[in-house]
Amino acid sequence: MSFEPASEPTKKARTVPPEIDKLHKLYVSYFRVARTLHYVSGVSGLTFSLMATSGFGGNEASRAWALGAGVCFGAMGFIDPNSRYKKCVKAARILNIAILRYEYGELSQTELISAVEHAENVVTEMEEMEGSFPREATNAVGNERNKK
């Protein structure tokens, strides 16, 4: 049985417009922050809760541990980093695939912009009602175009 080496990978045909690359990097950084916040708050809240129920450090310390747990779980409930993570990671993946296809000539610029619109719709579908998603993320592409 003989294996032939893989053919040379296709060279990138084009580079992505910088405003789209910037938006992709913004979504990636947002999902990393949201994921980190979710796990840090959850693990810290659980740890504080266990310390409070164990009575570690006496009554005063138990109250402080309980307060810490409440703050962590309150932040998780109020900020909801898990749903923000899911939306931003989905948008980043949409853009990642579109960017790769564009760079290798499989997507036109119009199709790339449609992918950007789709990614923004994924992120902003519920956030617009809440008014809590940073405006620079949703306007990054438009702002760059207006500067030219």
Side-chain angles (χ1 to χ4, degrees):
M1 222 167 125
S2 152
F3 291 102
E4 293 185 29
S7 63
E8 287 287 319
T10 309
K11 300 274 186 212
K12 290 183 180 181
R14 314 172 262 206
T15 58
V16 176
E19 56 269 12
I20 294 175
D21 189 48
K22 179 180 175 182
L23 183 63
H24 179 252
K25 289 177 182 173
L26 186 67
Y27 286 147
V28 169
S29 67
Y30 281 159
F31 89 65
R32 286 182 178 156
V33 167
R35 179 187 58 201
T36 302
L37 180 62
H38 173 76
Y39 286 111
V40 167
S41 296
V43 170
S44 297
L46 178 63
T47 303
F48 292 155
S49 180
L50 291 172
M51 297 298 274
T53 56
S54 72
F56 181 76
N59 286 340
E60 292 299 317
S62 288
R63 287 185 193 142
W65 293 122
L67 177 64
V71 167
C72 290
F73 292 135
M76 282 184 71
F78 181 71
I79 298 170
D80 194 14
N82 195 40
S83 71
R84 292 176 190 275
Y85 160 77
K86 288 177 183 176
K87 288 179 182 185
C88 288
V89 78
K90 187 174 181 181
R93 287 175 179 163
I94 289 167
L95 284 182
N96 189 47
I97 291 167
I99 286 170
L100 285 172
R101 288 185 175 160
Y102 177 79
E103 286 177 333
Y104 288 97
E106 294 181 19
L107 230 67
S108 69
Q109 189 168 15
T110 303
E111 292 168 319
L112 179 62
I113 291 170
S114 292
V116 169
E117 289 175 311
H118 179 61
E120 288 189 7
N121 287 337
V122 164
V123 172
T124 60
E125 63 190 16
M126 288 296 291
E127 304 296 339
E128 284 180 343
M129 289 187 281
E130 297 171 9
S132 59
F133 196 77
R135 193 172 266 315
E136 70 269 8
T138 58
N139 291 330
V141 174
N143 288 342
E144 290 296 322
R145 259 192 235 125
N146 293 335
K147 288 180 184 176
K148 292 180 180 177

